[in-house]
């Protein structure tokens, strides 16, 4: 060996160094499933950039954590960023158990999750009384977490990171990504292209392509890896998501996930109390085939008016107020992982609604109507673990293309039609109950 050339000695050194890293790398990868391991290794080995399509419930955050641990093992510096503070902090919180991973969180401490506040810039630099000391503290951290909007920080402008990870990249406005990517040698964009794009309010800006993310622009064959194994939805919800948006890519992670059903407390007592209301029992059933329930209410606004006229009930609520109260629930407000998703789609009818419905035509996305947004509906249906209940007027919802497709792919056994005296349902009794709640 002593007679070997400098190049041969360097190659031997790299080989020995690589062998030393094999054991800890295996330990890091051990906690990832097969697809997560491949994704982390593909990203770590990229020479420029890589996309990770993290489908719903597939453990993209766990994969990001695994990648950060691998890159840190290799001595790489990492810039972690996203569109929101919560997305950045969700990853950083998962790094806390690993004592060897020191990170600094840039940004206003008021916006930082308390769990990682001890690593906030304001805390770790509070005793710095000179630029030299400040620079010395910054240099101690190989992992830096910050939102895309916060990447104008002097620390980032003065450093070139080995790797940049952008979480929820499909929601990031393109110009917001330029700064962090220019300060990095390589990068990984993580997101789900079937879910929310950047929020652009201007109709003109959207028409010019402002709602296209960097993720979508770079999405081409060979540039991405998909995480298909999900641990959230049971088999019925997975099938619905596959047929509605994911073209069969999603698979259940294990038998427990696949066969999960809702477990309501005191279900037998509920069944006895409401045995006449068969429509309600079907809605809350724990049968796995009824994990998706579509409840057709008919035109509830018109029925409410008829009920008030019939019973000569005076009310101080104006027509405008009552119509506003019937407006569609914003999907983003309920986009959280829960055991049941209750998605209210009721919307008051107006003249233009009736014209569209009578003509049997589908509504366009004019005015950026939320019910025309397939990505928002995808978010809602993929957040449920064991039960999805969609409530609305079927005739109205059928005029929106995303809902029409959803109804077509859902099992017919899932349909519940609320009609007077059918399956124990009575509109008058329900309306009287609702009015009593407001008294």
């Amino acid at each position: 060996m002593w007679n070997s050339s400098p190049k041969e000695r360097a190659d031997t050194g790299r080989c020995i160094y690589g062998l030393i890293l094999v054991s800890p790398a295996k330990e890091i990868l051990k906690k990832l499933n097969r697809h997560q391991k491949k994704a982390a290794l593909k990203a770590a080995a990229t020479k420029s950039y890589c996309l990770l399509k993290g489908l719903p419930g597939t453990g993209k955050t766990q994969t990001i954590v695994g990648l950060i641990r691998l890159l840190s093992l290799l001595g790489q510096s990492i810039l972690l960023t996203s569109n929101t503070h919560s997305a950045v902090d969700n990853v950083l919180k998962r790094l806390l158990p690993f004592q060897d991973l020191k990170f600094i969180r840039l940004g206003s401490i008021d916006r930082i999750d308390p769990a990682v506040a001890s690593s906030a810039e304001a805390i770790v630099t509070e005793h710095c009384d000179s630029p030299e000391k400040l620079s010395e503290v910054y240099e101690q951290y190989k992992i830096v977490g910050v939102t895309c909007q916060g990447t104008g920080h002097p620390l980032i402008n003065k450093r070139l990171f080995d790797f940049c990870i952008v979480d929820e990249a499909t929601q990031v406005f393109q110009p917001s990504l330029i700064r962090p990517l220019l300060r990095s040698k390589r990068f990984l964009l993580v997101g789900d292209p079937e879910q929310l794009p950047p929020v652009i309010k201007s109709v003109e800006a959207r028409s010019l392509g402002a709602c296209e993310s960097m993720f979508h622009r770079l999405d081409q064959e060979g540039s991405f890896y998909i995480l298909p194994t999900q641990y959230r939805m049971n088999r019925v919800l997975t099938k619905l998501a596959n047929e509605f948006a994911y073209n069969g890519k999603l698979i259940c992670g294990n038998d427990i996930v696949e066969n999960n059903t809702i477990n309501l407390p005191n279900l037998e007592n509920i069944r006895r109390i409401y045995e006449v209301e068969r429509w309600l029992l079907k809605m809350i059933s724990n049968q796995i085939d009824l994990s998706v329930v579509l409840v057709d209410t008919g035109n509830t606004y018109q029925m409410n008016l008829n009920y008030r006229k019939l019973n000569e009930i005076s009310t101080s609520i104006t027509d405008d107020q009552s119509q506003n109260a019937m407006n569609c629930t914003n999907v983003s407000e309920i986009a959280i992982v829960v055991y049941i998703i209750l998605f209210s789609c009721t919307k008051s009818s107006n003249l233009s609604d009736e014209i569209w419905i009578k003509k049997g035509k589908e509504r366009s996305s004019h005015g950026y109507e939320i019910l025309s947004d397939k990505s928002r509906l995808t978010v809602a249906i993929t957040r449920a673990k064991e039960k999805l209940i969609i409530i609305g007027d079927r005739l109205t919802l059928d005029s929106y293309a995303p809902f029409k497709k959803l109804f077509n792919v859902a099992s017919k056994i899932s349909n519940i039609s609320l009609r007077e005296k059918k399956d124990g349902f009575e509109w008058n009794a329900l309306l009287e109950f609702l009015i009593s709640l407001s008294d």
Side-chain angles (χ1 to χ4, degrees):
M1 176 177 177
W2 301 112
N3 296 324
S4 59
S5 67
K7 182 180 182 303
E8 289 173 331
R9 288 197 295 272
D11 290 343
T12 302
R14 280 194 293 269
C15 183
I16 294 172
Y17 179 65
L19 291 173
I20 293 172
L21 296 180
V22 167
S23 181
K26 282 185 175 180
E27 188 63 28
I28 291 170
L29 295 173
K30 189 168 67 175
K31 295 185 178 180
L32 304 181
N33 67 31
R34 178 168 58 93
H35 297 290
Q36 292 167 343
K37 288 176 185 176
K38 288 184 177 180
L41 291 171
K42 180 179 175 68
T46 186
K47 294 182 178 179
S48 54
Y49 74 91
C50 180
L51 308 183
L52 176 59
K53 296 184 178 181
L55 308 191
T58 55
K60 65 180 179 66
T61 303
Q62 184 170 338
T63 306
I64 292 173
V65 170
L67 173 61
I68 291 175
R69 295 181 66 195
L70 280 176
L71 294 172
S72 296
L73 183 65
L74 295 169
Q76 304 273 289
S77 57
I78 304 152
L79 177 61
L80 172 68
T81 188
S82 186
N83 204 37
T84 63
H85 289 276
S86 59
V88 174
D89 291 340
N90 282 340
V91 176
L92 294 180
K93 284 190 289 186
R94 299 283 288 273
L95 298 180
L96 291 174
F98 308 106
Q99 300 298 319
D100 57 321
L101 299 181
K102 289 180 61 180
F103 60 82
I104 185 171
R105 173 65 162 91
L106 304 182
S108 171
I109 195 165
D110 295 333
R111 305 295 302 276
I112 296 173
D113 192 298
V116 297
S118 61
S119 297
E121 176 191 17
I123 301 298
V124 300
T125 63
E126 66 177 326
H127 298 301
C128 296
D129 54 11
S130 69
E132 291 76 19
K133 288 184 179 180
L134 196 61
S135 178
E136 186 180 333
V137 169
Y138 286 151
E139 288 300 321
Q140 294 176 14
Y141 296 95
K142 290 265 189 176
I143 303 172
V144 177
V146 63
T147 62
C148 293
Q149 294 299 321
T151 51
H153 192 284
L155 164 62
I156 295 170
N157 291 332
K158 291 182 179 180
R159 287 178 68 173
L160 181 63
F161 291 85
D162 294 310
F163 207 95
C164 177
I165 300 173
V166 185
D167 196 10
E168 296 184 351
T170 55
Q171 299 180 39
V172 181
F173 188 45
Q174 282 192 56
S176 299
L177 270 184
I178 294 174
R179 214 160 27 196
L181 297 189
L182 285 177
R183 304 311 305 162
S184 308
K185 297 176 184 177
R186 302 178 295 150
F187 64 88
L188 170 70
L189 303 184
V190 183
D192 182 350
E194 299 300 330
Q195 299 202 7
L196 298 179
V199 177
I200 308 296
K201 292 184 178 180
S202 167
V203 175
E204 183 180 1
R206 288 200 305 275
S207 69
L208 294 173
C211 58
E212 182 185 41
S213 68
M214 186 73 74
F215 191 106
H216 286 87
R217 289 193 67 176
L218 297 178
D219 187 2
Q220 55 187 325
E221 197 63 39
S223 67
F224 63 84
Y225 191 85
I226 299 176
L227 295 180
T229 308
Q230 62 85 25
Y231 301 90
R232 180 186 300 165
M233 300 170 283
N234 67 23
R235 66 173 186 262
V236 174
L237 291 163
T238 301
K239 182 175 183 291
L240 181 72
N242 272 329
E243 294 182 355
F244 179 72
Y246 292 99
N247 299 316
K249 295 185 182 75
L250 283 167
I251 56 176
C252 292
N254 54 52
D255 290 342
I256 295 175
V257 172
E258 186 175 340
N259 297 304
N260 265 343
T261 59
I262 194 69
N263 183 23
L264 294 177
N266 303 315
L267 184 56
E268 290 306 316
N269 289 338
I270 294 173
R271 284 172 174 162
R272 282 196 295 271
I273 295 170
Y274 296 99
E275 61 181 347
V276 176
E277 286 89 349
R278 294 183 297 279
W279 65 274
L280 179 59
L281 295 181
K282 182 177 180 180
M283 191 187 297
I284 64 172
S285 171
N286 60 358
Q287 294 180 39
I288 194 164
D289 290 340
L290 292 174
S291 296
V292 177
V293 177
L294 311 176
V295 182
D296 179 11
T297 63
N299 190 328
T300 53
Y301 176 65
Q302 188 60 50
M303 289 175 184
N304 188 26
L305 288 181
N306 293 342
Y307 173 81
R308 291 178 183 278
K309 289 177 183 177
L310 181 65
N311 293 278
E312 298 179 347
I313 296 177
S314 61
T315 176
S316 60
I317 302 177
T318 65
D319 283 347
D320 286 342
Q321 287 174 321
S322 60
Q323 287 188 22
N324 288 336
M326 299 285 284
N327 278 343
C328 172
T329 300
N330 188 325
V331 183
S332 63
E333 294 174 359
I334 60 171
I336 53 176
V337 179
V338 291
Y339 290 96
I340 305 176
I341 285 288
L342 181 63
F343 187 15
S344 172
C345 306
T346 52
K347 184 177 185 296
S348 59
S349 177
N350 55 41
L351 183 60
S352 61
D353 288 335
E354 291 173 3
I355 292 173
W356 278 101
I357 294 168
K358 286 177 181 177
K359 288 184 177 180
K361 293 184 177 181
E362 290 183 0
R363 242 170 277 250
S364 70
S365 56
H366 177 68
Y368 201 52
E369 287 210 50
I370 196 170
L371 295 179
S372 297
D373 191 342
K374 182 183 177 184
S375 63
R376 288 185 180 272
L377 185 53
T378 303
V379 169
I381 68 176
T382 56
R383 287 303 182 271
K385 290 184 176 182
E386 297 163 358
K387 192 87 169 180
L388 172 69
I389 303 173
I390 296 182
I391 302 174
D393 176 19
R394 178 69 179 264
L395 187 60
T396 300
L397 292 175
D398 261 335
S399 64
Y400 294 89
F403 280 92
K404 187 171 185 177
K405 180 176 181 180
L406 181 66
F407 296 146
N408 286 337
V409 299
S411 169
K412 302 308 176 199
I413 194 176
S414 302
N415 295 335
I416 296 177
S417 182
L418 298 185
R419 297 296 178 261
E420 190 68 20
K421 304 296 182 182
K422 180 183 177 183
D423 292 329
F425 181 79
E426 294 185 20
W427 273 114
N428 282 0
L430 178 60
L431 291 171
E432 286 174 3
F433 173 71
L434 294 175
I435 290 170
S436 72
L437 293 178
S438 62
D439 290 342

